[in-house]
């Protein structure tokens, strides 16, 4: 959120947007550079989260089982698939592109960092609610749910981490999220070309 707000509303607030637009660089290149900055921050935080989760899970299972000892009677120790972690990373990339572009576009509409924060904050709810729905018992991945952003990822991650792979649904999730991401990025580029948005006062 904060890199997206800083490179858009933050630059407007500091008055550096005008000098940037005066440089002999196409506006599309400028907005793509800003987008790649936000995406890099998003992917870095995602990679750190996945690594942290994986290491915590492995260490937790090792501590629970003890050095060479079996699990206590009646205790089920969950198993996480390393291939599933890699699959989660691949599926999250288009989602990161989607939300990086959305954050950039929404923040660009604001005049200041404070206003951008008020615009962007509701997006957290849009992400959390579908993710929580995906964790509910009885909600299973199907063709319709594979088209719903975030919910589809939550359901797919749950299955991949347990070693279950539905390749047709995974392909549908990746393709649909890529289309949404492309549309969001095109929208961000379109907004950046509008003077009324860039110099909104």
């Amino acid at each position: 959120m904060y890199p997206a707000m800083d490179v858009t509303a933050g630059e407007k607030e500091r008055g550096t947007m005008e000098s940037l637009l005066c440089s002999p660089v196409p506006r599309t290149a400028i907005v793509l550079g800003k987008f790649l900055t936000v995406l890099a921050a998003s992917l870095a935080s995602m990679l750190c989260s996945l690594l942290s989760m994986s290491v915590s899970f492995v260490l937790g299972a090792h501590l629970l089982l003890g050095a060479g000892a079996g699990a206590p009677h009646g205790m089920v120790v969950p198993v996480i698939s390393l291939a599933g972690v890699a699959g989660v990373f691949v599926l999250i990339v288009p989602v990161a592109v989607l939300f990086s572009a959305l954050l950039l576009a929404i923040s660009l509409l604001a005049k200041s960092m404070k206003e951008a924060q008020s615009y962007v904050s509701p997006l957290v709810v849009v992400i959390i609610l579908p993710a929580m729905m995906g964790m509910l018992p009885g909600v299973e991945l199907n063709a319709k749910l594979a088209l719903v952003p975030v919910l589809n990822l939550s359901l797919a991650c749950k299955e991949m981490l347990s070693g279950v792979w539905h390749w047709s649904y995974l392909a549908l999730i990746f393709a649909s999220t890529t289309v949404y991401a492309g549309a969001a990025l095109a929208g961000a580029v379109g907004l950046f070309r509008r003077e009324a948005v860039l110099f909104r006062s």
Side-chain angles (χ1 to χ4, degrees):
M1 284 173 55
Y2 290 99
M5 291 188 293
D6 188 63
V7 298
T8 52
E11 288 215 8
K12 285 184 185 181
E13 198 171 13
R14 292 189 298 269
T16 55
M17 185 70 81
E18 291 86 349
S19 56
L20 180 63
L21 294 172
C22 289
S23 62
V25 180
R27 286 197 182 177
T28 302
I30 293 172
V31 71
L32 288 179
K34 291 178 178 293
F35 163 73
L36 289 174
T37 300
V38 178
L39 181 62
S42 176
L43 291 175
S45 62
M46 174 187 71
L47 185 59
C48 288
S49 296
L50 276 175
L51 288 174
S52 172
M53 179 193 72
S54 302
V55 170
S56 299
F57 191 90
V58 170
L59 289 177
H62 180 72
L63 290 173
L64 187 66
L65 293 174
H73 181 69
M75 181 179 288
V76 178
V77 179
V79 177
I80 190 169
S81 165
L82 291 178
V85 174
V88 168
F89 184 83
V90 170
L91 273 189
I92 288 180
V93 169
V95 176
V97 172
L98 169 63
F99 283 102
S100 295
L102 280 176
L103 286 168
L104 198 66
I106 293 169
S107 299
L108 191 59
L109 296 171
K111 295 176 290 186
S112 65
M113 287 284 285
K114 189 174 182 180
E115 187 178 351
Q117 194 164 9
S118 66
Y119 289 170
V120 166
S121 295
L123 200 59
V124 174
V125 178
V126 174
I127 297 168
I128 290 175
L129 284 180
M132 289 177 63
M133 285 176 60
M135 296 300 157
L136 294 174
V139 181
E140 299 295 332
L141 185 61
N142 57 43
K144 287 183 180 178
L145 294 181
L147 298 174
V148 180
V150 182
L151 175 59
N152 56 12
L153 181 66
S154 179
L155 293 170
C157 289
K158 186 169 64 174
E159 294 190 350
M160 284 191 299
L161 290 174
S162 61
V164 179
W165 299 78
H166 295 291
W167 291 106
S168 57
Y169 293 151
L170 295 177
L172 185 57
I173 290 169
F174 190 86
S176 63
T177 309
T178 301
V179 170
Y180 302 148
L185 184 55
V189 172
L191 281 175
F192 208 83
R193 288 176 176 165
R194 292 173 57 186
E195 303 286 338
V197 173
L198 288 175
F199 303 111
R200 181 170 166 253
S201 57

